[in-house]
Amino acid sequence: MKIGITCYPTYGGSGVVATELGMELAARGHEVHFISYAMPFRLAGLDDSPDIAHRISYHEVEVLAYPLFDYPPYALALASQMAEVAEHYRLDLLHVHYAIPHSVSAYLAQAMLAPRRLPVVTTLHGTDITLVGQDRSFLPITRFAIEQADGVTAVSTYLREITEREFGITRPIEVISNFVNCDRYQRSPNQDRRHEFAPKGERLIAHLSNFRPVKNVPDVIEVFARIRCELPARLLLIGDGPERANAEYLVRERNISQDVIFLGKQDNVANILGVADLFLLPSDLESFGLAALEAMACEVPVIATNVGGLPELIHSGEDGCLVAPRDVAAMTSCALELLREPERGRSMGRRARETARARYCSTLIIPRYEAFYRKLLGVPA
Ligand code: GMT
């Protein structure tokens, strides 16, 4: 199939899922065209994969800067580029990730190409529904675009249900969860990296996010500071975003700078997660929690909040630990239990990988997307 994919190219779960999906589809022989305003950040490593690189193209959306445009009309420029790429490369379908504004641009592109049929698939990721989409100014158009798409998927049952409830959507929405490449994401056999982060054998705790307020990074720091009072440990903070400066301030305030490593945006997180002992995800809301899944695939037990889609992924007490949002005391106590008895932490980590392998490997999920596309196109399996 020839598939056009649009996503946010910046650091964030929906962009990661879209990019990994495109690369997996290319590996399975499909032709993939990314259409966005910048190269999706995880495509940067494509040069190392010549076997799939020739099946992946990137088409940049240029937005005209004009003094009249206080707000450059990106959604329109995107629609235009989608229609052009679809026409020129004879795309079979467009798959957009994150409803706003991508699903609306895809709807326009589809209308521009009529009577030629160009099916549109929209994948709902989370904040496009739970935060941004529920803003009064976006709700009607988001609902409209969801209703108009030929196929809609959501990354968790939680997200499907909240979309149906809050937007009054009655059309079918298929749940196709986040996924991870279980060959790339696994415990690192080379523990040199671990020694680099924890030269004195300290316990290694990790957090990965785009440092938005919803991720609750101050709780990561507070939990770590409490752990640090009890045992030698180091904290790896992977990612960047609006809360980073505040996080740096809190680390200085708590006087733990020597044990907190800000790694910033990283292309290869598997290398880092693969040597960690524990992963913290204290989000106020998480429709799925891709970062938690990536850690689990690397045999890292996750302590997360019992919100959104996280209870679908993590079974508390078995392959991780779920606590109420903002319950720093419960998070710390769960963390200390696992860190004080390393074998317990390791066996929980192994069970976490089992969960990832049994339900969320790309080998299981990508065929579901392919089947979804084929159904829309009326192509037999
Ligand atoms: O706000 C974010 O965390 C980024 C956001 C995105 O769309 O880039 O992430 C959402 O999509 C991910 C991939 O499907 C999910 O794993 C995250 O749980 C979800 N984030 C939230 O719901 C807060």
Side-chain angles (χ1 to χ4, degrees):
M1 283 179 270
K2 295 184 178 186
I3 301 152
I5 293 184
T6 286
C7 62
Y8 281 103
T10 43
Y11 213 70
S14 60
V16 171
V17 169
T19 312
E20 297 279 348
L21 172 62
M23 294 196 291
E24 296 275 354
L25 288 168
R28 295 168 72 92
H30 302 288
E31 187 179 306
V32 177
H33 295 261
F34 284 95
I35 308 166
S36 188
Y37 62 83
M39 172 97 97
F41 79 99
R42 281 218 185 164
L43 268 191
L46 204 55
D47 291 347
D48 303 335
S49 316
D51 47 326
I52 60 166
H54 66 284
R55 283 193 218 105
I56 298 182
S57 331
Y58 161 62
H59 308 271
E60 190 148 311
V61 179
E62 307 249 2
V63 191
L64 175 73
Y66 184 66
L68 197 62
F69 297 157
D70 270 350
Y71 303 99
Y74 175 65
L76 301 185
L78 175 60
S80 240
Q81 181 71 312
M82 282 170 161
E84 265 187 37
V85 173
E87 181 67 2
H88 189 76
Y89 294 91
R90 308 306 295 169
L91 297 188
D92 293 308
L93 59 90
L94 279 178
H95 186 171
V96 302
H97 294 258
Y98 208 89
I100 303 165
H102 304 149
S103 55
V104 179
S105 303
Y107 171 80
L108 287 176
Q110 192 179 46
M112 286 165 75
L113 291 175
R116 195 195 142 202
R117 183 171 177 253
L118 179 70
V120 169
V121 176
T122 296
T123 290
L124 310 174
H125 280 273
T127 49
D128 46 353
I129 296 300
T130 55
L131 293 178
V132 190
Q134 288 187 36
D135 182 283
R136 283 285 131 199
S137 59
F138 285 121
L139 195 145
I141 197 158
T142 308
R143 182 198 287 133
F144 173 77
I146 292 172
E147 294 284 13
Q148 296 301 316
D150 297 275
V152 178
T153 75
V155 298
S156 63
T157 303
Y158 159 81
L159 190 60
R160 180 182 68 194
E161 286 172 357
I162 195 164
T163 307
E164 289 167 348
R165 196 172 63 235
E166 304 286 332
F167 287 71
I169 301 278
T170 51
R171 61 156 303 147
I173 298 177
E174 182 147 330
V175 175
I176 304 185
S177 66
N178 284 180
F179 58 89
V180 66
N181 183 310
C182 293
D183 295 330
R184 272 197 288 125
Y185 283 78
Q186 52 177 304
R187 196 93 202 129
S188 174
N190 176 358
Q191 293 289 308
D192 288 355
R193 200 85 211 264
R194 183 190 175 89
H195 190 70
E196 187 189 308
F197 295 133
K200 295 184 190 141
E202 298 95 332
R203 314 296 286 145
L204 261 188
I205 292 132
H207 169 77
L208 157 66
S209 77
N210 48 18
F211 284 59
R212 297 216 190 112
V214 71
K215 302 290 174 180
N216 239 333
V217 180
D219 280 5
V220 175
I221 291 161
E222 183 55 34
V223 171
F224 177 72
R226 293 184 190 192
I227 293 171
R228 209 14 222 84
C229 293
E230 302 293 323
L231 45 85
R234 297 198 116 187
L235 175 64
L236 302 176
L237 290 171
I238 312 162
D240 209 333
E243 287 291 296
R244 162 109 179 234
N246 185 38
E248 288 179 357
Y249 168 79
L250 291 173
V251 164
R252 283 194 299 273
E253 275 284 286
R254 293 298 252 121
N255 207 13
I256 49 175
S257 302
Q258 68 285 7
D259 289 320
V260 180
I261 305 169
F262 284 89
L263 289 166
K265 293 180 185 172
Q266 295 283 328
D267 289 337
N268 186 347
V269 292
N271 270 351
I272 306 166
L273 295 175
V275 298
D277 296 307
L278 195 65
F279 187 88
L280 299 176
L281 192 66
S283 308
D284 282 330
L285 191 55
E286 209 60 73
S287 65
F288 182 88
L290 177 63
L293 172 60
E294 292 179 333
M296 289 167 75
C298 294
E299 294 183 29
V300 185
V302 174
I303 301 181
T305 40
N306 55 5
V307 293
L310 283 167
E312 295 171 47
L313 170 66
I314 298 170
H315 312 92
S316 198
E318 287 173 37
D319 51 16
C321 183
L322 291 176
V323 303
R326 313 275 170 153
D327 192 344
V328 171
M331 266 183 268
T332 310
S333 124
C334 188
L336 284 171
E337 268 179 41
L338 295 172
L339 295 170
R340 281 191 178 122
E341 290 178 60
E343 198 31 56
R344 214 170 134 201
R346 291 293 303 119
S347 77
M348 189 176 262
R350 283 191 288 270
R351 284 197 297 273
R353 175 157 175 92
E354 272 320 299
T355 299
R357 275 173 55 85
R359 298 177 55 194
Y360 301 107
C361 279
S362 46
T363 45
L364 299 170
I365 304 296
I366 306 304
R368 294 204 44 211
Y369 276 115
E370 290 178 303
F372 193 75
Y373 297 158
R374 286 203 184 96
K375 202 167 113 194
L376 286 186
L377 294 169
V379 177

